[in-house]
């Protein structure tokens, strides 16, 4: 797998340190609240599992799977729900856990949907943020790292379903996706 990586952008150690900081922050700010962490599959599951284990207050998890309609690589903003949440979110303090906030089209759709379902509060937590690529009017409340506009894989992020299991975030070699 390492042959496909141009260079490591964020090391495993730096990721784990940051996850601990985010978990401490959430544990403090949600003291006495029992927040619901909603993870968008599949990319968010690695970060969510690490974060969840480090949160020290009672908290629950639920999962959603979505796909964008239309062109495969570009997010259209119209989201199809493949797997909906198991439980109602009305009155809950919800935190959406994401792998990366890119154009923001997917998250902005999800945010509106959850607000319509009557959540009590809604925050967004992403381990990676690509501010240069933003199209939708959305920002995360908790951000791990701002990164440049490069295609990255690892720590849950994939290229064609591969590389999610790398423990670091790396920049994918251009030849991997340009020769297809
Ligand atoms: P958007 O914010 O609606 O554009 O979509 C974000 C989704 O696009 C993320 O959840 C990822 O699945 C995917 N994505 C965006 N940038 C990257 C990247 O650099 N590597 C891998 N997946 C990415
Ligand atoms: Mg993806």
């Amino acid at each position: 797998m390492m042959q496909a990586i141009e260079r490591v952008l964020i090391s495993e150690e730096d990721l784990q340190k940051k996850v601990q900081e985010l978990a401490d922050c959430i544990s403090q700010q949600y003291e006495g609240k029992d927040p619901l962490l909603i993870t968008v599959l599949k990319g968010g599951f690695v970060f969510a599992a690490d974060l969840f284990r480090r949160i020290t207050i009672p908290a629950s998890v639920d999962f959603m799977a979505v796909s964008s309609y239309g062109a495969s690589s570009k997010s259209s903003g119209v989201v199809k729900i493949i797997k909906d949440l198991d439980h109602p979110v009305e009155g809950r303090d919800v935190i959406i856990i994401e792998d990366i906030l890119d154009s923001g089209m997917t998250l902005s759709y999800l945010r509106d949907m959850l607000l319509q379902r009557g959540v009590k509060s809604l925050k967004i937590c992403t381990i990676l943020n690509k501010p240069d690529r933003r199209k939708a009017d959305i920002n995360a409340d908790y951000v791990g790292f701002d990164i440049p506009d490069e295609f990255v894989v690892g720590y849950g992020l994939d290229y064609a379903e591969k590389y999610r299991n790398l423990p670091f975030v790396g920049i994918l070699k251009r030849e991997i996706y340009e020769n297809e």
Side-chain angles (χ1 to χ4, degrees):
M1 274 197 298
M2 280 308 286
Q3 285 101 307
I5 304 302
E6 182 72 42
R7 67 185 171 92
V8 174
L9 188 64
I10 307 166
S11 71
E12 179 174 10
E13 194 191 347
D14 288 348
L15 282 166
Q16 293 303 326
K17 241 189 254 167
K18 187 64 77 174
V19 173
Q20 184 66 56
E21 281 172 33
L22 293 169
D24 289 346
C25 196
I26 289 170
S27 301
Q28 221 170 43
Q29 293 182 2
Y30 285 82
E31 178 89 64
K33 279 190 174 163
D34 186 19
L36 173 64
L37 276 59
I38 294 180
T39 302
V40 185
L41 297 172
K42 304 171 198 163
F45 89 100
V46 174
F47 170 45
D50 281 350
L51 183 75
F52 190 61
R53 268 177 295 192
R54 292 169 191 262
I55 288 177
T56 53
I57 56 166
S60 325
V61 287
D62 207 343
F63 299 93
M64 278 188 90
V66 301
S67 79
S68 297
Y69 281 114
S72 57
S73 62
K74 297 224 173 76
S75 206
S76 61
V78 183
V79 170
K80 181 177 164 193
I81 296 176
I82 311 274
K83 183 218 167 290
D84 206 338
L85 300 167
D86 288 338
H87 301 288
V89 290
E90 199 182 338
R92 298 298 306 267
D93 292 302
V94 170
I95 310 172
I96 300 179
I97 310 297
E98 262 283 28
D99 53 351
I100 189 165
L101 185 49
D102 188 33
S103 76
M105 301 298 280
T106 312
L107 261 191
S108 109
Y109 181 91
L110 283 182
R111 176 187 58 186
D112 294 349
M113 191 195 80
L114 290 170
L115 290 173
Q116 259 173 25
R117 291 185 186 183
V119 297
K120 184 171 167 205
S121 72
L122 184 61
K123 286 197 177 179
I124 294 168
C125 175
T126 187
I127 187 69
L128 303 177
N129 182 37
K130 274 186 191 169
D132 297 347
R133 300 244 314 163
R134 197 78 83 253
K135 281 198 223 122
D137 180 21
I138 191 158
N139 276 302
D141 303 278
Y142 305 99
V143 175
F145 302 91
D146 284 335
I147 63 165
D149 184 12
E150 301 270 9
F151 194 83
V152 294
V153 293
Y155 203 60
L157 290 133
D158 73 306
Y159 171 67
E161 295 300 327
K162 277 186 269 184
Y163 313 112
R164 291 193 201 274
N165 51 332
L166 290 171
F168 56 82
V169 171
I171 297 175
L172 192 66
K173 280 186 182 157
R174 281 190 175 270
E175 64 214 54
I176 303 286
Y177 52 96
E178 277 175 356
N179 290 345
E180 283 192 10

